[in-house]
Amino acid sequence: MKQVPWIAPSILAADFAKLGQEVEAVLKAGADVVHFDVMDNHYVPNLTVGPMVCQALRKYGIQAPIDVHLMVSPVDSLIPAFAQAGATYITFHPEATNHIDRTIQLIKASGCKAGLVFNPATPLNYLDYVLDQLDMILIMSVNPGFGGQSFMPEMLKKIKAARGLIDAANLPIRLEVDGGIKIDNIGAAFEAGADTFVAGSAIFETPDYQKTIESMRSKFNI
Ligand code: DX5
Ligand code: ZN
């Protein structure tokens, strides 16, 4: 079943020199969840932030859910660290771990919600035997590693396929889309079945976060 739509600004596009204020500002502007991109210069060709920064946001007073998107390999060693640092969701790429089921179990045993992330060329059949254990499915609409890339429209049919699987199983799994989401394509992603929308540059590179988030929400026909 489709969940209430969530806007998830990606901190990747925020001003890191004042991250706490930036996150506070997007939440005040109407965002629902903080998307926290973790890159290791190994699984993806870029390097960002780790559990210390997640913990710093919690210490600063951020109470909204933090959606930790792990673009790292190996995955497992970082899970307890992010759980302790205050992560709400932890999502990972199935290609990045040797034992997908074990990694999901580890996330849940750490007290977090678990999600699988699908790169543009990664098939959805990784879901076949684990769907009922998941809280989130994340469809990448760009290749992971960088913000500011263009949305791949071919991913709309993958979102539709994932929506079909979630609805057929009648499970309350969030369907998130990440990469190149803007005011002019968020409606199409919503129509295709997504309910959680990551947006980095589309929000942080505009002067008025509230106006941008409101314009995004206006595209949801509910
Ligand atoms: C890409 C990241 C995205 C990225 C989105 O690897 O997972 O979350 O920050 O940025 P935009 O919205 O600018 O494409
Ligand atoms: Zn992401």
Side-chain angles (χ1 to χ4, degrees):
M1 64 213 81
K2 207 162 178 175
Q3 309 292 304
V4 175
W6 277 359
I7 305 278
S10 161
I11 62 159
L12 198 57
D15 181 346
F16 275 93
K18 46 174 186 171
L19 190 59
Q21 290 108 295
E22 285 273 76
V23 170
E24 201 173 28
V26 279
L27 290 169
K28 213 171 145 213
D32 303 284
V33 51
V34 180
H35 186 78
F36 193 99
D37 284 307
V38 184
M39 304 183 185
D40 67 349
N41 190 38
H42 172 74
Y43 180 67
V44 290
N46 200 355
L47 185 65
T48 59
V49 288
M52 283 168 63
V53 176
C54 183
Q55 188 165 34
L57 288 177
R58 288 296 188 213
K59 246 187 163 163
Y60 181 78
I62 301 302
Q63 289 181 349
I66 298 182
D67 167 30
V68 174
H69 175 190
L70 293 180
M71 288 162 275
V72 304
S73 182
V75 180
D76 293 0
S77 52
L78 281 176
I79 290 170
F82 269 106
Q84 274 207 315
T88 312
Y89 288 85
I90 299 180
T91 66
F92 67 97
H93 292 248
E95 306 93 333
T97 190
N98 286 329
H99 304 283
I100 297 165
D101 180 82
R102 177 179 289 149
T103 303
I104 294 169
Q105 288 181 41
L106 193 55
I107 294 171
K108 302 198 91 157
S110 309
C112 295
K113 294 175 192 263
L116 272 190
V117 190
F118 293 84
N119 284 335
T122 304
L124 289 178
N125 49 20
Y126 279 109
L127 292 169
D128 287 355
Y129 301 100
V130 295
L131 188 68
D132 60 343
Q133 299 183 51
L134 297 177
D135 301 291
M136 185 179 271
I137 295 169
L138 169 47
I139 305 294
M140 293 303 299
S141 40
V142 298
N143 284 297
F146 301 95
Q149 303 180 78
S150 298
F151 180 81
M152 299 167 72
E154 315 87 272
M155 293 303 115
L156 290 172
K157 64 175 189 282
K158 198 173 188 182
I159 295 170
K160 274 187 197 142
R163 168 54 54 202
L165 294 171
I166 293 169
D167 288 352
N170 197 25
L171 291 166
I173 300 171
R174 281 206 165 261
L175 181 53
E176 186 172 46
V177 57
D178 183 5
I181 291 290
K182 314 268 175 217
I183 294 168
D184 65 5
N185 59 23
I186 196 167
F190 177 85
E191 286 301 322
D195 53 31
T196 308
F197 304 85
V198 177
S201 44
I203 294 175
F204 283 107
E205 285 175 14
T206 54
D208 188 337
Y209 300 160
Q210 186 168 343
K211 208 171 138 211
T212 306
I213 291 172
E214 275 169 12
S215 306
M216 288 178 158
R217 270 194 215 286
S218 72
K219 308 289 180 183
F220 304 148
N221 300 315
I222 41 174

